[in-house]
Amino acid sequence: MIQVHREDDRAVVYPSGDTIVAATIPELRVKMRGAVEDGVRDLTIDLAGVRMVDSSGLGLLIAAHNSLRKVGGQLAIIHASNDLLELFRSMRMHQHFTVSGN
Amino acid sequence: MDPNLDDELVQDYLAECREHLATIEQDLLAIEQGGADIDEHLVNQVFRAAHSIKGGAGFFDLTKIRELAHKTENALDLIRSRQMIPTPEVVSILLMAFDKLRELIGDYGRSNEAEIDDFVSALTALTSASLPADQRDSLDEQVEMQLPEPDKHIQTSAFDLSQARRGGKCIYLIQYDLIHDVQRLGKTPLEVFKVLIQSGTILETVFDLGSAGTLDEEPSNRLVLEVLYATVLEPDLIGQVVDVPPERVRLVEKNGESRPLSSPPAKRKLRARKAKAPVDLPTPQPAPKLAPAPREVVLKPSTPLTVSAAETTIRLNVSLLDSLMTLAGELVLGRNQLNESLSRTDERGIRSGAQRVSLVTSELQEVVTQTRMQPVGGLFAKFSRLVRDLARDLGKEVFLKTEGNEVEIDKTILEGLGDPLTHMVT
């Protein structure tokens, strides 16, 4: 179950399971879209339990960033594992939104 | 711990590293003695040692060991090309970096979590400080390259680019579609990046954020990532690590033009953003008279300098091993003779059997004792570093002379002597 903790225009999303892959993405996309439509401008994705993000998972994170930018909001990723942190950094994603580790 | 870190290959690699590290200290001290008048053979030897430590670490995914070895290699490369003088400051930093490497290799299973930033920045400061001012600028200087898509560029440091070229590497501009080239092939981006890092260096990447669309749109089936990649792999081999159609892999040539591997040369220009940005570094100039001291380098030795590290393996002369084998064979023969005589209660046979066993046992004891004998030179060798560091700390000139390096002493005694001798020296 994907958890979303909401507080004013901020929200923290806790994906379910330990992967963000094709199978788990549609639900996550709907939750995040709902949050942005509902006025969330500061969206944080907590990757504490996530060990793997595949290509479409990356696509989703960037899509979220793109959507938030359109409405003047921002995306942050927290609790990324070392591997994921390295991946995000290699892809220079930290230049576009905040990425932090454990 | 990573399961693949347990096999024989890793153990071989680690043993090789320890061997390299054992000689590096002496070599560095000799390089320091030589000063500006470098002994190329010696510098090359240390450089190659650092290089093979780096290479193996890359293979086994020991990222921190690889990074630190890579930085020491860069510094040694500058010494080798006479762009940096091995002053005591320079050698101190190198010695400490190698100490840290030794520590990382000692605990290789956890080395990837180790903290090496101080060492890396000290070595980077060293490299940048020793470059002439105009080249130092190139550290911050960016060159911009046109991407296949119109109006898109990728920027990278001019220094990284020219260092990679000087190392004989090919530069590629690879356009990945993370959906078709990665996901559809059943791979994850992380796996793809790891393969790339094992065989080269990722200089820069540019994500085409627009290709991901937004949350309101249908999930995008194309996700474009441009990677500027330096590797020793030639164009005919690059396909081994880059699973992308050849028309999307471009070779960046020295003049800055890049062309896809599968079609004739095209006219893509690498243009310098700043007017003076050189694509190739100026040719190495003779080292300045006095290498500037590295800035703000504060390093603590990673391990206290002791000489009592008990080792788990020793080197053994093959002839000693052979005689051990022969003696073991004779011992078996003696035992058989003894058993047979006992079953026949042949008193003469028993007596001669016992004599034979006793003879072989004494000889065996002697040879086993010999295997534990190690030249005392190994212990003395550690004092050169100790004395050097002490002399530097106290600002005194100290001359160390050792004699009788070839004398052999039992390993236990040698280990026991380490601490008291260190104490006496200090």
Side-chain angles (χ1 to χ4, degrees):
Chain A
M1 213 6 226
I2 299 169
Q3 305 272 336
V4 181
H5 286 197
R6 177 79 191 268
E7 198 177 295
D8 303 330
D9 66 345
R10 297 154 171 257
V12 184
V13 181
Y14 303 87
S16 61
D18 60 353
T19 53
I20 299 185
V21 295
T24 59
I25 283 170
E27 196 192 346
L28 199 54
R29 178 182 282 271
V30 170
K31 292 267 181 190
M32 294 203 287
R33 184 168 57 211
V36 177
E37 275 168 5
D38 207 25
V40 169
R41 293 295 171 262
D42 224 329
L43 186 68
T44 303
I45 304 175
D46 189 326
L47 295 186
V50 176
R51 63 178 171 83
M52 206 256 274
V53 177
D54 73 354
S55 299
S56 15
L58 286 174
L60 177 67
L61 298 181
I62 297 170
H65 162 74
N66 288 343
S67 287
L68 283 160
R69 258 191 52 165
K70 266 188 167 175
V71 294
Q74 55 185 351
L75 177 74
I77 288 175
I78 56 169
H79 298 150
S81 70
N82 284 345
D83 271 351
L84 289 178
L85 207 56
E86 201 161 320
L87 179 72
F88 294 147
R89 290 208 174 125
S90 317
M91 293 187 168
R92 309 290 187 257
M93 287 207 184
H94 61 295
Q95 294 171 355
H96 304 289
F97 43 84
T98 321
V99 178
S100 66
N102 281 313
Chain B
M1 191 195 297
D2 199 332
N4 74 3
L5 285 180
D6 265 335
D7 58 28
E8 235 172 274
L9 271 179
V10 186
Q11 293 307 329
D12 282 354
Y13 162 70
L14 295 171
E16 193 191 306
C17 287
R18 286 190 200 107
E19 255 170 58
H20 284 312
L21 288 168
T23 55
I24 279 176
E25 193 167 290
Q26 288 298 302
D27 290 346
L28 279 175
L29 292 176
I31 289 170
E32 181 182 13
Q33 289 284 314
D37 181 24
I38 61 163
D39 174 350
E40 273 183 41
H41 172 73
L42 210 55
V43 180
N44 277 329
Q45 195 166 307
V46 182
F47 177 82
R48 277 195 296 267
H51 186 76
S52 36
I53 294 175
K54 181 189 88 171
F59 184 76
F60 294 116
D61 224 7
L62 299 167
T63 49
K64 291 289 165 67
I65 295 179
R66 181 179 187 279
E67 189 183 355
L68 191 55
H70 179 64
K71 291 288 173 190
T72 58
E73 190 190 345
N74 281 353
L76 287 161
D77 189 34
L78 287 174
I79 297 180
R80 190 163 75 150
S81 57
R82 296 177 194 274
Q83 286 175 286
M84 178 163 75
I85 295 175
T87 57
E89 285 77 19
V90 172
V91 173
S92 287
I93 291 173
L94 281 171
L95 281 171
M96 279 188 248
F98 280 112
D99 284 346
K100 184 70 186 175
L101 266 178
R102 192 175 297 124
E103 189 188 306
L104 292 179
I105 286 164
D107 190 8
Y108 66 94
R110 278 187 297 172
S111 68
N112 281 1
E113 284 101 57
E115 189 55 56
I116 58 164
D117 290 355
D118 286 356
F119 296 89
V120 168
S121 52
L123 285 164
T124 311
L126 208 61
T127 357
S128 60
S130 68
L131 286 173
D134 55 332
Q135 289 189 33
R136 206 176 307 161
D137 285 348
S138 78
L139 284 175
D140 309 320
E141 202 153 346
Q142 300 283 313
V143 279
E144 198 174 70
M145 240 172 272
Q146 167 76 50
L147 291 177
E149 327 252 302
D151 298 328
K152 295 232 162 97
H153 303 99
I154 190 165
Q155 270 191 19
T156 187
S157 129
F159 182 75
D160 284 351
L161 200 61
S162 54
Q163 284 290 91
R165 283 221 195 280
R166 288 205 314 138
K169 290 184 177 158
C170 298
I171 314 285
Y172 297 95
L173 195 55
I174 308 162
Q175 187 183 66
Y176 274 100
D177 174 352
L178 293 185
I179 302 293
H180 291 92
D181 303 330
V182 179
Q183 183 144 323
R184 299 266 160 94
L185 300 178
K187 292 186 255 186
T188 66
L190 190 61
E191 287 164 4
V192 169
F193 265 61
K194 280 195 165 163
V195 171
L196 285 181
I197 291 167
Q198 274 166 16
S199 326
T201 314
I202 295 174
L203 296 174
E204 190 54 62
T205 60
V206 171
F207 221 122
D208 178 4
L209 296 184
S211 66
T214 63
L215 292 173
D216 302 322
E217 297 163 33
E218 277 302 296
S220 165
N221 66 352
R222 192 162 170 269
L223 200 56
V224 180
L225 179 73
E226 303 276 356
V227 177
L228 190 64
Y229 183 55
T231 171
V232 289
L233 294 173
E234 301 278 335
D236 55 335
L237 288 175
I238 186 77
Q240 304 282 332
V241 294
V242 178
D243 207 354
V244 165
E247 65 270 16
R248 283 197 271 120
V249 182
R250 313 172 73 89
L251 179 68
V252 181
E253 289 177 55
K254 280 211 175 78
N255 60 12
E257 293 191 359
S258 75
R259 61 181 167 83
L261 292 183
S262 65
S263 66
K267 286 183 195 106
R268 300 271 178 198
K269 291 253 172 178
L270 172 79
R271 23 165 248 240
R273 173 168 260 198
K274 292 186 203 164
K276 61 166 193 163
V279 171
D280 283 307
L281 258 192
T283 44
Q285 288 157 3
K289 280 261 153 55
L290 216 155
R295 300 156 294 192
E296 296 171 46
V297 173
V298 187
L299 277 186
K300 288 186 213 91
S302 59
T303 38
L305 268 179
T306 55
V307 274
S308 61
E311 281 158 21
T312 48
T313 54
I314 54 166
R315 283 175 162 275
L316 209 55
N317 194 322
V318 179
S319 69
L320 268 182
L321 201 63
D322 285 345
S323 35
L324 276 176
M325 193 63 205
T326 319
L327 284 170
E330 277 187 44
L331 201 59
V332 172
L333 285 178
R335 180 201 61 187
N336 292 348
Q337 189 192 349
L338 210 52
N339 277 343
E340 204 188 305
S341 309
L342 274 170
S343 65
R344 286 190 283 114
T345 40
D346 169 5
E347 202 174 313
R348 254 190 67 197
I350 296 175
R351 205 168 297 145
S352 90
Q355 208 173 10
R356 187 172 181 175
V357 170
S358 139
L359 211 71
V360 175
T361 311
S362 314
E363 215 170 315
L364 195 61
Q365 190 185 19
E366 199 175 309
V367 179
V368 169
T369 319
Q370 277 181 40
T371 62
R372 299 184 47 88
M373 301 294 267
Q374 300 281 311
V376 75
L379 174 65
F380 286 173
K382 294 170 181 163
F383 289 129
S384 335
R385 166 78 184 280
L386 184 72
V387 168
R388 170 201 176 272
D389 287 354
L390 275 174
R392 269 179 55 79
D393 285 351
L394 302 172
K396 292 184 178 166
E397 214 167 290
V398 182
F399 179 67
L400 175 75
K401 188 177 173 192
T402 55
E403 272 179 10
N405 283 330
E406 66 289 342
V407 175
E408 293 192 334
I409 308 183
D410 187 278
K411 197 170 162 286
T412 324
I413 300 179
L414 209 59
E415 277 163 12
L417 271 176
D419 284 337
L421 277 178
T422 311
H423 187 66
M424 280 164 71
V425 170
T426 53

